[in-house]
């Protein structure tokens, strides 16, 4: 996602300085016009003006790392290397409470922190993503031109006041996504077992013609069935998962809000480890179609 975001920013006319742990993405974005570095330290030691937004005296360091320990370690590593007035934008779909810790850590260095929940997967990062943005409003406003260029149609972004608010909105988004994916997968699994000789591709096509459940998720299911075959023999029925579904369930319990659909779909993913099924294959299929997650069966 980070590589695709760099490519999009370059096309929008931004100067981008980039680092990535593995060299292949660095080479690709360098060929597209980015300035790349072998280390984070070298990147941050480059001329401050090279990393400033033209619209404001504001140096922006955008992190696009896996949530959790990888992001935490990177923020701790770069904090002493940053300058007062810098802004760290955290694009990991991280746990919203961590954003408060990162905000406090960076404030000691007079550096601002903005959390951004990014929806759309690698494809969205390339063609335009949906951004759910937290942090202080005055810092967000400085970065609006950047968010507009990254987002789909230039307006697929919104700010929510408070450290971690953007990641909270994205976390719940993913919990909702769990439930929607589960319902679609269960429905298609029922039809696959029905007494009728139903063509699931034909079903998906009619669902996508102004039906009430017409959606991107149904389209990804349809595209996946066409790509891998209705039997899904090469797709795992055991579903891997990230933290957001679990976090949504835990947050709901803390707030005293019942979420039986989200909780049930999360539990299904846990159970699928030992109980793979065609329903699980369909959920895995959607995950690989929109997020590029590896879900093929090992042979």
């Amino acid at each position: 996602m980070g590589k695709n975001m760099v490519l999009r920013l370059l096309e929008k006319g931004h100067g981008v300085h980039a680092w990535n742990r593995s060299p292949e993405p660095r080479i690709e974005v360098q060929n597209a016009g980015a300035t790349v570095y072998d280390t984070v330290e070298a990147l941050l030691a480059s001329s401050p003006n090279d990393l400033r937004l033209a619209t404001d005296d504001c140096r922006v360091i955008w992190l696009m790392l896996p949530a959790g320990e990888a992001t935490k370690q990177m923020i701790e590593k770069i904090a002493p290397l940053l300058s007062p007035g810098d802004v760290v934008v955290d694009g990991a779909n991280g746990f919203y409470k961590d954003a408060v810790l990162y905000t406090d850590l960076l404030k000691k260095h007079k550096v601002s922190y903005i959390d951004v929940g990014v929806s759309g997967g690698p494809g969205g990062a390339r063609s335009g993503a949906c951004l759910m943005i937290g942090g202080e409003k005055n810092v967000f406003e400085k970065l609006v031109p950047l968010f507009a260029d990254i987002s789909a149609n230039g307006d697929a972004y919104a700010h929510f006041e408070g450290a971690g608010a953007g990641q909270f909105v994205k976390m719940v988004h993913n919990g909702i996504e769990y439930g929607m994916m589960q319902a679609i997968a269960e429905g298609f699994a029922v039809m696959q077992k029905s007494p009728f000789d139903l063509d699931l591709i034909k079903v998906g096509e009619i669902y996508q013609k102004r039906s009430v459940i017409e959606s991107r998720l149904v389209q990804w299911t349809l595209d996946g069935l066409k790509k891998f075959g209705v039997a899904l023999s090469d797709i795992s029925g055991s579903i891997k998962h990230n933290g957001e579904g679990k976090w949504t369930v835990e947050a709901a319990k803390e707030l005293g809000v019942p979420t039986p659909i989200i909780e049930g779909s999360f539990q299904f993913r846990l159970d699928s480890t030992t109980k793979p099924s065609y329903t699980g294959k369909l959920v895995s299929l959607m995950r690989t179609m929109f997020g590029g997650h590896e879900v093929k069966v090992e042979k």
Side-chain angles (χ1 to χ4, degrees):
M1 288 183 72
K3 178 194 74 175
N4 283 350
M5 199 169 282
V6 169
L7 295 173
R8 180 172 176 83
L9 286 170
L10 290 170
E11 288 180 355
K12 293 290 183 177
H14 292 270
V16 182
H17 293 239
W19 171 84
N20 189 71
R21 181 177 57 185
S22 53
E24 293 81 8
R26 293 203 305 264
I27 294 170
E28 185 174 345
V29 300
Q30 183 178 38
N31 290 338
T35 303
V36 301
Y37 299 84
D38 293 330
T39 66
V40 172
E41 292 84 353
L43 186 153
L44 295 176
S46 63
S47 171
N49 288 329
D50 291 342
L51 302 178
R52 294 188 187 277
L53 281 178
T55 55
D56 201 283
D57 187 29
C58 175
R59 193 169 75 147
V60 181
I61 297 88
W62 189 301
L63 305 181
M64 209 67 189
L65 299 168
E69 196 60 29
T71 295
K72 177 176 179 290
Q73 290 180 3
M74 182 58 70
I75 290 177
E76 290 175 343
K77 178 178 182 178
I78 67 173
L81 306 176
L82 300 174
S83 303
D86 287 351
V87 178
V88 171
V89 178
D90 179 7
N93 293 327
F95 186 47
Y96 71 99
K97 291 183 179 180
D98 290 342
V100 178
L101 302 177
Y102 301 152
T103 297
D104 292 341
L105 170 64
L106 291 168
K107 273 185 177 178
K108 295 176 183 177
H109 300 272
K110 298 181 180 180
V111 173
S112 298
Y113 173 87
I114 291 285
D115 55 284
V116 181
V118 183
S119 180
R126 187 67 182 88
S127 62
C130 176
L131 309 178
M132 303 154 216
I133 305 162
E136 296 180 2
K137 185 177 181 180
N138 65 314
V139 180
F140 157 76
E141 289 175 341
K142 294 179 181 179
L143 274 59
V144 164
L146 182 63
F147 295 136
D149 282 345
I150 290 173
S151 70
N153 301 319
D155 63 358
Y157 64 91
H159 175 255
F160 305 91
E161 185 72 30
Q167 289 178 340
F168 189 89
V169 173
K170 178 57 168 61
M171 176 190 75
V172 176
H173 162 285
N174 280 34
I176 294 169
E177 177 187 293
Y178 273 42
M180 293 174 69
M181 291 170 69
Q182 186 69 24
I184 292 168
E186 289 177 3
F188 273 78
V190 169
M191 288 186 287
Q192 193 255 356
K193 282 278 191 176
S194 80
F196 304 99
D197 184 19
L198 295 177
D199 181 341
L200 295 190
I201 291 177
K202 189 175 180 180
V203 170
E205 289 173 341
I206 193 60
Y207 280 174
Q208 286 301 92
K209 293 181 178 179
R210 304 293 290 174
S211 83
V212 172
I213 63 168
E214 179 182 6
S215 64
R216 297 176 76 191
L217 286 170
V218 170
Q219 186 63 52
W220 278 314
T221 303
L222 173 59
D223 293 342
L225 291 172
K226 291 178 178 179
K227 180 177 180 179
F228 294 101
V230 171
L232 299 179
S233 55
D234 290 335
I235 300 296
S236 174
S238 298
I239 315 161
K240 295 182 180 180
H241 60 89
N242 298 322
E244 292 96 328
K246 178 183 178 183
W247 297 336
T248 303
V249 171
E250 291 173 344
K253 288 181 177 178
E254 287 181 13
L255 297 169
V257 179
T259 55
I261 303 300
I262 297 173
E263 188 168 356
S265 61
F266 173 63
Q267 188 62 47
F268 181 89
R269 295 191 181 200
L270 295 180
D271 295 342
S272 74
T273 303
T274 56
K275 299 176 182 177
S277 63
Y278 188 71
T279 301
K281 286 176 175 284
L282 286 159
V283 175
S284 291
L285 178 70
M286 283 181 261
R287 292 186 79 244
T288 195
M289 292 306 294
F290 72 73
H293 302 288
E294 182 59 47
V295 294
K296 292 187 178 181
V297 176
E298 292 185 4
K299 295 182 177 180

